[in-house]
Amino acid sequence: MAGATAAKGASTATCNAGSESEKSCQLYVPSAHELGFDQEAFRQGKLSIVILGATGDLARKEIFPALLDLVAQRFLPEQVVLVGVGRSKRTSEEFRQQLKPALLEACPSQANACEGDVNAFLQKMSYCSLDYKSQEDFKGLQQFLEEVEDAAFQSARKADSLEQPALRNRVFYFAVPPFVFEDAASAIKETCLTDSGFNRIILEKPFGRDLHTAEELSTALKRLYTEDQLYRMDHFLGYEVCQNILSVRFRNAFVEPLMNNRHVAAVRISLKEDFGTQGRGGYFTKYGNIRDVVQNHLLQVLTLVALERPDGDLRAAKLELLRAVRDINMDEVVVGQYVAGNDHPGFLEDDSIAERDEEAAKRCPTFVQLVIRIDNDRWRGVPFIILAGKGLEESRCEVRIQFKETRSPDIFPGETCPRNELVMRVSPHEAIYMRMNMKTPGLSGDLTQSELDLCYNSQYGCTYRPRAYARLLLEALRGHQDQFVGEDELLRAWEIFTPLLEKLEGHACDKKLVKYPFGSQGPQQARDMLPSLNFLEPEGPEGNACWKN
């Protein structure tokens, strides 16, 4: 990667853009100066980033690779201190050696991670073992932080002639279960906060299981920290395509006038996964698909698609939209659970489901399709279809905005055109494209449908596009809260979904889980419902180049 050897300015690195058939190119990475944050507070003084839950899967697969990316691209200052915290006993050197293979395997950006970057990153890493309920242990962490912060700053001052006041800035990333939040947050409050810089807490979901537990957690945290110190992470908000939704809507003169109930027939936001719980059945039994991805990730995407033009406050605009959401109609809900199929076991065969949870597992949905209806002038009458499922025929996450039919009887008598669609595909192969109707090329006057296509790998293959966690970590360091979930927003989301969850999980519920084979399209009932929701499956195959790769 470029950051380890480049000067302070922008860097380049050879990368493979897009598919294997595309030629290598020079990846351009803009510098912190070019991006306008080289003089911000987090780069000027001492900086510690403390990761609680450092030995877990999330930290290993997402958080540390994201930090590696930021360090290698020189977006973090030379004096940054990285400290992993966990319950298990190990030395810093043991932790580095255990982390190294995961960092080498991960690709922090389009550029290939090289061993030199990883080794330099690991030299900034330390590990502390502690009990999250022990203030004494956190006092030891405080003393350790002061020592390594002072040493790192003095070293950087000698190398770069730093003259800025040595403020202590600290970020604590909670990659731990929510039942740990209050104890750890209280211990940090009593022992580890700095009084000369900023203190920020990044919280990883889930934020409760329902409205009641979310309110309890929120109240507990508010006793300890102000809202501007809390950053509730939803990594979907960091995906490149999700970052682009507002620009597509409000920076294109022809798009925003169409985004209303006069022109839009239906919207579907879907997250399909071609894998199952894979040993996470015990965790998943306690949450299910609605808590796992719908109440947070997919609802956040919906707010970006449907909100009114923000007046300088994105989170306020999202909250206004959520307050216009009506109660979810159970008649518009389909829930399912995958069973064995295509040589894969069913959900109930997951060995991680404890015997005591077997009955709850039988009621746990691995598939849900539901409809969000927004009661405002812009969207009244337009169904927003949310679909999320595991063990399906493909992995795909996308927003599909389907416009109403166009008829031109004076020009093309008796002809009804297929619907236009604006599609924003989050994964795989990021793309934004519009399905257009046109004349078949050549002598024929027949109708055909094609795509106006923005394939990110083809168009921007040599443009640095950070992973979602890297982008959001940087936003938190900069103090930008727009890309994080606000308290009011979170509680309103739970107000929408808690009644649905209570009905589905009640013993008197007559909404049965529909069984579907692993590797199928999910419950047939979900597809049968689409015409009544004014949503039509696209006609003909999509020719999108990214999708073919």
Side-chain angles (χ1 to χ4, degrees), residues 5 7 110 116 146 178 205 215 268 297 321 342 388 396 404 527:
T5 56
Q110 297 100 313
E146 288 185 350
K205 79 170 186 74
E215 287 177 331
R268 185 169 71 178
H297 300 329
L321 186 279
N342 296 290
R396 188 197 307 203
K404 295 178 179 180
R527 298 192 296 283

Side-chain angles (χ1 to χ4, degrees), residues 229-424:
Q229 291 177 305
L230 298 174
Y231 292 73
R232 299 172 190 85
M233 170 75 76
D234 189 318
H235 72 272
F236 262 54
L237 293 175
Y239 283 142
E240 186 67 44
V241 169
C242 295
Q243 290 269 315
N244 208 355
I245 291 175
L246 294 185
S247 289
V248 170
R249 280 193 60 189
F250 297 113
R251 287 175 164 172
N252 293 287
F254 70 93
V255 175
E256 179 57 14
L258 300 178
M259 294 290 286
N260 53 63
N261 53 15
R262 295 187 300 277
H263 301 287
V264 175
V267 179
R268 185 169 71 178
I269 302 172
S270 58
L271 173 57
K272 293 183 174 184
E273 296 172 315
D274 64 1
F275 50 87
T277 51
Q278 296 178 327
R280 295 176 65 246
Y283 163 85
F284 200 80
T285 294
K286 295 177 173 60
Y287 289 91
N289 249 22
I290 296 175
R291 291 185 178 92
D292 193 40
V293 297
V294 175
Q295 177 270 342
N296 37 69
H297 300 329
L298 300 188
L299 187 66
Q300 284 292 320
V301 175
L302 183 148
T303 63
L304 297 175
V305 171
L307 56 71
E308 297 295 327
R309 182 184 292 272
D311 184 19
D313 189 339
L314 177 59
R315 296 208 293 192
K318 289 161 66 179
L319 179 60
E320 179 185 5
L321 186 279
L322 291 174
R323 285 174 172 163
V325 171
R326 290 163 40 186
D327 293 343
I328 297 172
N329 184 349
M330 287 290 286
D331 292 336
E332 296 180 328
V333 177
V334 176
V335 287
Q337 186 182 93
Y338 68 83
V339 296
N342 296 290
D343 298 324
H344 288 270
F347 171 69
L348 296 179
E349 298 167 61
D350 191 315
D351 293 338
S352 67
I353 299 174
E355 184 176 350
R356 66 179 180 274
D357 295 328
E358 287 179 355
E359 285 302 313
K362 293 176 182 177
R363 300 192 301 272
C364 176
T366 61
F367 175 97
V368 61
Q369 178 180 284
L370 55 84
V371 179
I372 299 291
R373 294 191 178 272
I374 301 170
D375 192 15
N376 64 17
D377 290 341
R378 178 188 289 269
W379 294 115
R380 192 171 294 113
V382 177
F384 284 76
I385 304 161
I386 305 293
L387 183 153
K390 291 183 176 296
L392 298 179
E393 83 282 12
E394 63 178 352
S395 284
R396 188 197 307 203
C397 181
E398 68 178 15
V399 178
R400 189 173 288 268
I401 301 166
Q402 199 166 91
F403 296 94
K404 295 178 179 180
E405 288 88 350
T406 298
R407 294 180 176 85
S408 301
D410 51 336
I411 305 175
F412 305 108
E415 181 179 80
T416 299
C417 297
R419 288 181 172 179
N420 299 124
E421 289 185 311
L422 175 59
V423 182
M424 292 177 275

